[in-house]
Amino acid sequence: MQVSLADPRIERPKIFTHGCPTRVVLDHVMSRWGVLVLLALSEGTLRWGELRREVDGISEKMLASTLRTLEADGIVVRTSYPEVPPRVEYSLSPLGDELMQRMLPLVGWVAEHAEGIVERQA
Amino acid sequence: MQVSLADPRIERPKIFTHGCPTRVVLDHVMSRWGVLVLLALSEGTLRWGELRREVDGISEKMLASTLRTLEADGIVVRTSYPEVPPRVEYSLSPLGDELMQRMLPLVGWVAEHAEGIVERQA
DNA sequence: CGGGATCCCAAATGATACTG
DNA sequence: CAGTATCATTTGGGATCCCG
């Protein structure tokens, strides 16, 4: 008797395999700084300097790295204006909008319950 | 004229301050392994060994560490049965259920779009 | 079976200085 | 202003051994 690869009887219990696309993207958007940068951009377009000030504690290096990753993923759009002094704006792409529509409820829930969770540990 | 600390005119644009409870909990539940462990448990109670096999690639150290953190947060419940050989089961607490209710749509969206996102980079 | 304790490394992150 | 380059450091994470 033959079984297909999609046969439920032989389906692996594993969530996602190591190195699969889902894990890669998950690592980008759910990273420490990725979440905060996306959260900031979900309220509207921001310039580099604004982003740096809004995401408290982020270093220039991590901001650059995070933005490059999210831009490569097509989640964030970078627009540079050929002016002097230079001006660069970052915003969510349509894909990023869809993503944040799902992430905001989660972050909102965490924000509401975080204090209670942390206090209970003391 | 006096202004209160909650005055919207002087509200900081910062998302969350460095080290605030929200960031702490966010780091726990959105960590690389935290997400995958919670995802596994969202389908039902699992034993230590089952979790280890289901979350592909996780080491014993990280599984233990992740579970301890999530248990301390009150998101995961650990139940040990005084048998021999020992049996320990992990499941989501009511709090964890609420959390995953918000996280599943996000992870689902990522899983659907991840392949397209990663392929586009090549 | 279900972990804890240790050692150790690679990667993530921070700080600072510099540049188009 | 908007980054890049470099160096120092922390820490996430793996490997291994051990124990109740």
Side-chain angles (χ1 to χ4, degrees), chain A residues 41 45-52 85-90:
Chain A
L41 292 179
T45 299
L46 288 176
R47 298 180 58 167
W48 164 276
E50 295 173 329
L51 217 36
R52 176 141 171 51
R87 180 165 61 100
V88 180
E89 293 187 344
Y90 292 90

Side-chain angles (χ1 to χ4, degrees), chain A residues 8 12 17-18 22 26-27 33 41 46 49 51-52 60 67 73-75 85-86 90-92 104:
Chain A
R12 298 279 195 76
T17 56
H18 174 73
T22 300
L26 234 34
D27 276 352
W33 298 117
L41 292 179
L46 288 176
L51 217 36
R52 176 141 171 51
E60 297 189 345
L67 285 172
D73 286 345
I75 293 169
Y90 292 90
S91 59
L92 292 180
L104 285 176

Side-chain angles (χ1 to χ4, degrees), chain B residues 110-121:
Chain B
V110 171
E112 284 172 18
H113 294 74
E115 196 164 349
I117 287 175
V118 172
E119 277 182 7
R120 203 177 51 75
Q121 315 234 8

Side-chain angles (χ1 to χ4, degrees), chain B residues 16-29:
Chain B
F16 302 116
T17 56
H18 174 74
C20 74
T22 301
R23 283 207 189 178
V24 172
V25 176
L26 234 33
D27 276 352
H28 295 173
V29 303

Side-chain angles (χ1 to χ4, degrees), chain A:
Chain A
M1 171 188 188
Q2 272 226 325
V3 294
S4 83
L5 283 175
D7 192 308
R9 289 166 301 172
I10 60 171
E11 182 185 355
R12 298 279 195 76
K14 293 180 180 179
I15 311 285
F16 301 115
T17 56
H18 174 73
C20 74
T22 300
R23 283 207 188 179
V24 172
V25 176
L26 234 34
D27 276 352
H28 295 173
V29 303
M30 309 195 64
S31 69
R32 177 209 290 308
W33 298 117
V35 176
L36 298 175
V37 166
L38 288 172
L39 214 53
L41 292 179
S42 71
E43 294 171 11
T45 299
L46 288 176
R47 298 180 58 167
W48 164 276
E50 295 173 329
L51 217 36
R52 176 141 171 51
R53 281 187 299 274
E54 183 139 354
V55 181
D56 185 41
I58 195 171
S59 66
E60 297 189 345
K61 179 177 176 177
M62 290 316 297
L63 179 55
S65 163
T66 302
L67 285 172
R68 266 188 273 111
T69 299
L70 293 176
E71 193 199 351
D73 286 345
I75 293 169
V76 162
V77 175
R78 182 198 129 123
T79 312
S80 93
Y81 299 89
E83 307 170 353
V84 44
R87 180 165 61 100
V88 180
E89 293 187 344
Y90 292 90
S91 59
L92 292 180
S93 70
L95 202 67
D97 270 326
E98 279 188 48
L99 172 70
M100 292 314 289
Q101 207 172 311
R102 271 87 176 177
M103 191 178 312
L104 285 176
L106 172 60
V107 175
W109 184 91
V110 171
E112 284 172 19
H113 294 73
E115 196 165 348
I117 287 176
V118 171
E119 277 182 8
R120 203 177 52 75
Q121 315 233 8

